[in-house]
Amino acid sequence: MSDEKLYELVCHVSNEIFGKDFLHKAFFNKRLRTTGGRYMLRSHHIEINPLVFEKYGMDELVGVIKHELCHYHLHIEGKGYQHRDADFRKLLQTTNSPRFCSTLMEREARKTTKRYTYKCAKCSLLYNRKIRLNTKKYRCGKCYGDLFLVSLENLK
């Protein structure tokens, strides 16, 4: 879908559902990662994440457009346009707009963490650490003996 088709769709949704004209620009923004779209307060433009259409289709795209148009029309009219405002929540309900969009990015698998185990040369006390320790700088907290690295594990 092109930016021109998106603009036509935004104008159509604005007229059909809100009964008001959309007088600014609407376009796709590939740099949006976690959000479906955003309304720009200063320029009044609407940016849409192209992944919304690619992953979930036209129904989800129209839902995101309706959500952003709620921000747009309330801001233009000088009413509460933020998510926490009663005006915004009421308009979401009356236009049947979604409060959130579907998940666009899968969460990355947790990085493997390393676990360092150090042992005191005098008293044999074990120390488990996530961060590597400088054994020339630090000593045992119990007997002030020298520390040395016993093992290095990769944990998930």
Side-chain angles (χ1 to χ4, degrees):
M1 178 180 271
S2 67
D3 285 345
E4 292 81 24
K5 296 266 187 193
L6 176 68
Y7 175 74
E8 290 172 11
L9 181 62
V10 170
C11 289
H12 175 74
V13 169
S14 182
N15 284 328
E16 289 293 315
I17 294 175
F18 295 90
K20 299 171 186 172
D21 290 333
F22 178 71
L23 305 171
H24 295 85
K25 292 181 183 177
F27 50 90
F28 286 112
N29 185 350
K30 293 179 185 175
R31 292 175 309 208
L32 295 177
R33 294 202 178 267
T34 57
T35 185
R38 69 178 171 191
Y39 165 64
M40 309 300 285
L41 290 173
R42 291 188 180 173
S43 64
H44 305 295
H45 300 325
I46 291 177
E47 296 178 350
I48 303 292
N49 190 336
L51 286 176
V52 171
F53 182 64
E54 292 169 13
K55 274 188 152 183
Y56 298 105
M58 187 59 79
D59 291 338
E60 185 74 19
L61 178 63
V62 170
V64 171
I65 290 170
K66 288 194 302 185
H67 179 97
E68 299 309 324
L69 283 171
C70 288
H71 288 296
Y72 172 79
H73 289 299
L74 288 170
H75 184 247
I76 297 288
E77 294 168 7
K79 296 180 180 175
Y81 60 89
Q82 295 179 334
H83 287 116
R84 66 176 177 253
D85 295 326
D87 292 332
F88 181 75
R89 291 183 185 212
K90 186 177 179 185
L91 189 58
L92 281 180
Q93 261 186 334
T94 57
T95 58
N96 198 21
S97 301
R99 184 150 153 81
F100 305 104
C101 72
S102 300
T103 305
L104 295 172
M105 292 183 68
E106 286 76 27
R107 291 192 176 187
E108 295 177 22
R110 285 190 171 186
K111 295 178 182 174
T112 58
T113 57
K114 295 179 181 176
R115 179 76 64 180
Y116 299 95
T117 304
Y118 295 92
K119 189 174 184 180
C120 175
K122 277 189 184 176
C123 68
S124 301
L125 185 66
L126 293 175
Y127 292 91
N128 292 316
R129 297 286 180 265
K130 287 183 182 178
I131 299 172
R132 193 172 183 118
L133 209 120
N134 184 355
T135 56
K136 291 181 175 70
K137 185 176 180 182
Y138 294 99
R139 295 183 160 272
C140 175
K142 184 177 176 186
C143 69
Y144 300 108
D146 291 331
L147 298 176
F148 62 94
L149 182 64
V150 176
S151 69
L152 168 66
E153 298 176 26
N154 286 328
L155 303 174
K156 217 171 190 185

